Amino acid sequence: MAGGPAPGNADASAPEHEQTFPGGGTPGAKKPSAAERGDGQNWHRLHPLTPFFKGWGLIAVALAAGVYNADENIPDLIRFANRTGWHWIALAVFALLLIALAWAFIWWRRAYFQITDTSLEWATGVVFRARRTARLDRIEAVDTIHPLIPRLFGLVKLKIESAGGAGSAVELAYLTAADAAFWRREILSRAAVAKQGAGGTPAPLPPTTLPAGDAFGGAPGPGGPGFRPVPPNPAGPGGHPAPPNSAVPGPATPGLAAPGLAASAAEHVAQGYAGAGGTASAGASTWNQSPVVGLAPKSTETHIGELLGDSDAHVPELFSVPTSRVIASLALSAWTWMFVITAIASVIMLFVGPRGSAAGFLAPVFGFGSYVYSRLVSDFGFSAKQTDRGLTLSHGLTTRVSQTIAPGRVLAVSLNQGPLWRRCDWWRVRMTVAGYGSQDADKQSVLVPVANSETARRAIWGIAPELAQADRWEVIRGALTGSGPTPGFTGSPRRARLFDPWIWKRTAYAVTPEALILRQGRLLRRATIVFHGRIQGLELSQGPFERRRDLADVTIYLPPGPVAAVISHLAGADALALLEGETARLRASMNQVLASRGPTTNP
Amino acid sequence: MSTARPQDVLFDPDGQDWRRVSPKLIKVRLLLIGLWFGLPVVGGVVCLVIFQQWWIAIPTAVWALLGLWTAWLNDRRVRAIGYLERADDLLIRKGILFRELKVVPYGRLQYLDVTAGPLDRAFGLAKLDLNTASGSLNADLPGLDPDEAARLRDRLSELGATRMAGL
């Protein structure tokens, strides 16, 4: 069993539930409640097979070392064995195995974790002990990851993302699927409670009670505080238009249900689509089926259940990417072409080139090939659902990942299109997510691997409903395909063509109430969306040649992630206006967060 | 030192009084330039004398010219460093040829470092490093008086704490 009680704590609760809930889907009804468990010394263990999966790399290296130069090693070994006697060899191998097993056992015995009311603690290591603590109220999300080999044994890994940038993720690996589901629920619900506690008194409900909400309380950007994406529902309850950032006195439940906020979000979206006319309202009506509409005040228990997404199963998909489109999109990507070209070249060189010249192509063939393969494997079976906790993405072929992007966690979005995707109106949508370090960027920061603009709009609706409104989307569309002077956009002046002869017409920015939108790139088109309230810093820069033409560059600094926001060769005055404007909008959004938080609280 | 030529307006959005860093930084930087450029040049000349190979003169001369140019710019470069504490953010201005103006909102500051290397300490200087959640924003203020550095650090961390508004 995964979580055998540690010595001295006989009644840990984890042990039974594996058998109780095969398949891991059902709610933890038979689990002891948080109160029964207490917060002291209930340590739980990982699955006993964990050391083998963790040590897999070591075994593979040892095997590879043995296989490498096998033509010499094996005869050597046989000679050596003949000399010393086979029984000694067998004994040595047996002893090694025994040592490895003992080590694995000791490692397993000494790796455990517990959840208290305030933190998640875990301890690992035999010689060098490491014991760490993650504060529950800082937890952003708990993702479930299914790597290939452990998956064959029904084991999964829980990745717990907390606020605080790179290296702050905690991995609980490996657990059985049922255990993982249980612990995920447990961590998230306790995190919700911890955040509620941290938010202070129930009086003016801090608009930040989603599990991930705390640190992102509330810029007006992607779902200001406590907004939850509600499908268009003009007849929703309590539709008095509360400004999205005001602190609405709400019921003392975990604040998802602050009715004014939710309703106002609903209203926004509804307005947007009313204006959008035919196609969009058709889209809206399909999204409308999402059962997220119930806004009536609920008990805390129900809310935690909702937070955890008990109802995910019947939530319809917001969008999914068919396998055929993933394959087609890869076939039309430059990486695949480079792979094919280098592969063909290496085959040609093998036959006609000088001896050994084919080897020179191996590195690029391997490089491009593995990139294309990793894209295929991670984009495979991509689908998204809009749940109460936020947007839930699941994807991957060998390693199946499910991530939940809570409202407000997306700091910036970029849409990219290579030349071959243009005819199909395909875009790769990536996002910078709070808490994901840059090392996760490639696989875990994809919002949609390949989307036409309608799907992209749905996806963006999933993370920031305001931006999918007709007028905002008009601007984003302009950033995707427009060129030259466009109303609403401030572009690079004609004198910039000396620096950017090819792309200067595309370079432009536009500002919506929520976000700054950059339009860039001609062959590789790119639209970048940066939420005003998420900017970390700004820079205006100018080189000597730019000064002669009165041009300047603006860099918007964001937390690490796939989205970079640098716009070059704007007219000096426009660049300064952008810098000052964004500074002011950032300030306004931060002030709103502070005002909504009230005068006393100070984390 | 308040120069207000027209092209400076772009990098002086408020037209306010920018604070300069300590002029002692000029000496420190000059010393460093001397070390970085002077020592290799001396080495080059010695090699030239010993080996009598004319081509050694080329890199030595290039290096010497670069050093002289850097030294010539040094004074203006240090004087170009300025900072301005506004109500909600700190502005940092640097550079003469390649100019930059950085805006660091107080509410985004994650931590502040005051550092002083041996040379800095000898001249009574300190450097303030400002860190936000964005790893790529290198906002630092070299050449501060230690008192001023401490004052800035305390003030900024206080402002940062009251204005911290999430990420």
Side-chain angles (χ1 to χ4, degrees):
Chain A
M1 164 54 227
N9 320 301
D11 91 318
S13 57
E16 313 93 340
H17 67 258
E18 187 190 13
Q19 289 83 17
T20 325
F21 301 107
T26 41
K30 295 183 187 170
K31 302 298 166 309
S33 74
E36 285 171 55
R37 183 172 291 129
D39 58 27
Q41 296 296 312
N42 281 307
W43 292 95
H44 304 280
R45 290 226 172 80
L46 303 165
H47 193 276
L49 283 177
T50 301
F52 299 101
F53 295 124
K54 293 237 181 188
W56 185 244
L58 214 63
I59 298 169
V61 167
L63 277 179
V67 171
Y68 186 75
N69 281 345
D71 50 341
E72 290 177 23
N73 285 350
I74 291 175
D76 273 358
L77 184 70
I78 292 172
R79 234 173 295 131
F80 177 71
N82 282 336
R83 215 163 346 122
T84 48
W86 283 93
H87 55 286
W88 288 113
I89 300 287
L91 208 65
V93 168
F94 183 70
L96 271 177
L97 270 178
L98 217 60
I99 291 170
L101 262 176
W103 180 267
F105 180 72
I106 294 168
W107 188 93
W108 173 73
R109 287 281 299 181
R110 305 218 54 193
Y112 33 77
F113 63 94
Q114 73 167 350
I115 310 180
T116 69
D117 285 338
T118 54
S119 60
L120 169 66
E121 290 170 33
W122 68 108
T124 57
V126 179
V127 181
F128 298 98
R129 294 286 291 165
R131 180 164 170 174
R132 274 165 285 179
T133 304
R135 276 173 53 191
L136 284 176
D137 58 350
R138 301 287 285 170
I139 285 175
E140 298 281 356
V142 182
D143 295 342
T144 315
I145 297 175
H146 309 250
L148 180 59
I149 303 204
R151 194 169 153 196
L152 299 177
F153 292 82
L155 299 183
V156 301
K157 171 156 93 177
L158 279 186
K159 192 167 181 194
I160 296 127
E161 314 269 3
S162 358
S168 58
V170 176
E171 287 185 353
L172 290 185
Y174 290 92
L175 303 166
T176 60
D179 274 352
F182 170 75
W183 286 115
R184 185 165 175 280
R185 165 183 313 283
E186 192 69 18
I187 293 168
L188 280 176
S189 58
R190 288 198 184 204
V193 172
K195 280 173 199 222
Q196 205 184 351
T201 50
L205 185 68
T208 53
T209 353
L210 274 180
D214 183 46
F216 308 97
F227 104 57
R228 75 176 173 169
V230 176
N233 180 19
H240 70 92
N245 279 302
S246 67
V248 175
T253 54
L256 270 184
L261 293 178
S264 83
E267 241 177 34
H268 275 243
V269 178
Q271 277 167 8
Y273 283 100
T279 53
S281 62
S285 68
T286 44
W287 307 350
N288 215 352
Q289 294 159 3
S290 164
V292 196
V293 193
L295 293 174
K298 288 179 179 131
S299 73
T300 308
E301 288 303 312
T302 330
H303 263 296
I304 289 171
E306 268 185 11
L307 281 177
L308 296 165
D310 286 344
S311 51
D312 278 9
H314 11 276
V315 176
E317 268 175 4
L318 182 64
F319 63 83
S320 65
V321 183
T323 308
S324 58
R325 188 186 288 179
V326 172
I327 292 168
S329 75
L330 276 173
L332 290 178
S333 91
W335 299 103
T336 312
W337 286 81
M338 295 299 285
F339 169 67
V340 170
I341 289 168
T342 50
I344 290 174
S346 72
V347 170
I348 291 174
M349 293 308 259
L350 191 65
F351 288 108
V352 302
R355 211 178 122 82
S357 61
F361 282 89
L362 276 183
V365 168
F366 185 77
F368 292 125
S370 63
Y371 179 73
V372 171
Y373 173 76
S374 73
R375 278 275 289 267
L376 177 69
V377 160
S378 87
D379 293 352
F380 188 88
F382 205 102
S383 71
K385 286 177 175 183
Q386 184 69 63
T387 67
D388 269 9
R389 294 156 293 147
L391 189 67
T392 300
L393 304 176
S394 53
H395 56 101
L397 179 63
T398 51
T399 297
R400 194 86 191 148
V401 177
S402 16
Q403 350 165 212
T404 298
I405 314 292
R409 275 186 79 209
V410 176
L411 314 176
V413 178
S414 73
L415 297 99
N416 290 270
Q417 181 184 65
L420 299 173
W421 285 19
R422 189 171 303 181
R423 289 175 63 97
C424 316
D425 182 31
W426 281 346
W427 299 87
R428 186 169 176 85
V429 188
R430 301 206 292 166
M431 56 194 172
T432 290
V433 181
Y436 286 165
S438 44
Q439 73 271 34
D440 303 317
D442 230 41
K443 281 172 188 154
Q444 289 190 52
S445 301
V446 177
L447 180 54
V448 200
V450 48
N452 58 24
S453 42
E454 180 54 30
T455 310
R457 185 179 186 178
R458 278 166 172 259
I460 286 172
W461 177 86
I463 54 159
E466 305 96 327
L467 284 179
Q469 294 173 46
D471 53 339
R472 315 288 157 77
W473 187 253
E474 201 58 40
V475 179
I476 297 174
R477 271 219 73 88
L480 292 178
T481 56
S483 180
T486 315
F489 280 88
T490 309
S492 230
R494 195 177 154 73
R495 58 180 187 272
R497 70 190 185 283
L498 186 71
F499 299 98
D500 286 330
W502 174 253
I503 56 166
W504 70 271
K505 279 188 178 174
R506 277 271 297 161
T507 307
Y509 70 85
V511 174
T512 75
E514 302 81 24
L516 166 71
I517 292 160
L518 306 182
R519 180 184 83 182
Q520 285 167 313
R522 188 157 158 190
L523 195 64
L524 303 167
R525 286 168 161 181
R526 182 166 82 248
T528 310
I529 302 169
V530 178
F531 297 105
H532 301 309
R534 305 299 192 254
I535 295 173
Q536 302 293 315
L538 302 103
E539 178 178 342
L540 177 71
S541 56
Q542 187 180 55
F545 299 108
E546 283 178 298
R547 182 147 61 249
R548 297 205 148 190
R549 299 213 151 208
D550 186 26
L551 299 170
D553 310 333
V554 175
T555 307
I556 311 268
Y557 288 101
L558 292 165
V563 184
V566 182
I567 185 162
S568 298
H569 311 312
L570 291 171
D574 290 340
L576 185 60
L578 175 61
L579 185 88
E580 289 286 17
E582 280 310 309
T583 308
R585 285 182 281 271
L586 168 62
R587 187 186 312 140
S589 116
M590 288 171 78
N591 285 343
Q592 251 166 343
V593 175
L594 292 175
S596 69
R597 190 182 290 163
T600 50
T601 44
N602 187 8
Chain B
M1 288 164 226
S2 59
T3 50
R5 287 168 301 180
Q7 60 263 48
D8 284 345
V9 173
L10 187 56
F11 286 86
D12 193 0
D14 282 0
Q16 287 177 17
D17 280 341
W18 289 74
R19 298 188 73 146
R20 309 279 172 182
V21 299
S22 162
K24 284 186 272 184
L25 184 64
I26 300 174
K27 285 184 210 159
V28 174
R29 291 240 165 129
L30 210 56
L31 237 149
L32 282 172
I33 292 167
L35 283 175
W36 276 108
F37 291 94
L39 285 182
V41 168
V42 169
V45 170
V46 169
C47 285
L48 192 64
V49 171
I50 294 174
F51 298 111
Q52 301 283 325
Q53 299 278 329
W54 64 271
W55 56 264
I56 296 176
I58 298 174
T60 311
V62 168
W63 205 241
L65 283 175
L66 263 175
L68 284 177
W69 192 50
T70 317
W72 179 63
L73 281 180
N74 179 47
D75 180 66
R76 285 164 62 200
R77 203 177 257 164
V78 169
R79 287 180 206 286
I81 302 174
Y83 60 98
L84 179 60
E85 294 163 72
R86 297 202 297 189
D88 296 279
D89 39 39
L90 181 76
L91 303 189
I92 299 177
R93 188 172 65 173
K94 276 182 196 171
I96 37 176
L97 216 51
F98 292 89
R99 299 180 168 219
E100 56 179 54
L101 171 68
K102 284 178 174 157
V103 184
V104 187
Y106 299 137
R108 288 292 186 249
L109 288 172
Q110 292 205 323
Y111 58 96
L112 298 149
D113 286 333
V114 176
T115 55
L119 209 54
D120 278 346
R121 276 203 304 273
F123 282 82
L125 289 178
K127 181 172 124 183
L128 182 69
D129 269 311
L130 299 101
N131 294 283
T132 67
S134 160
S136 47
L137 173 59
N138 300 311
D140 59 352
L141 265 178
L144 296 172
D145 282 327
D147 291 348
E148 170 69 356
R151 181 194 71 82
L152 261 180
R153 182 197 54 205
D154 293 346
R155 182 175 145 75
L156 294 188
S157 53
E158 187 194 325
L159 284 169
T162 53
R163 265 154 235 244
M164 191 74 178
L167 199 57

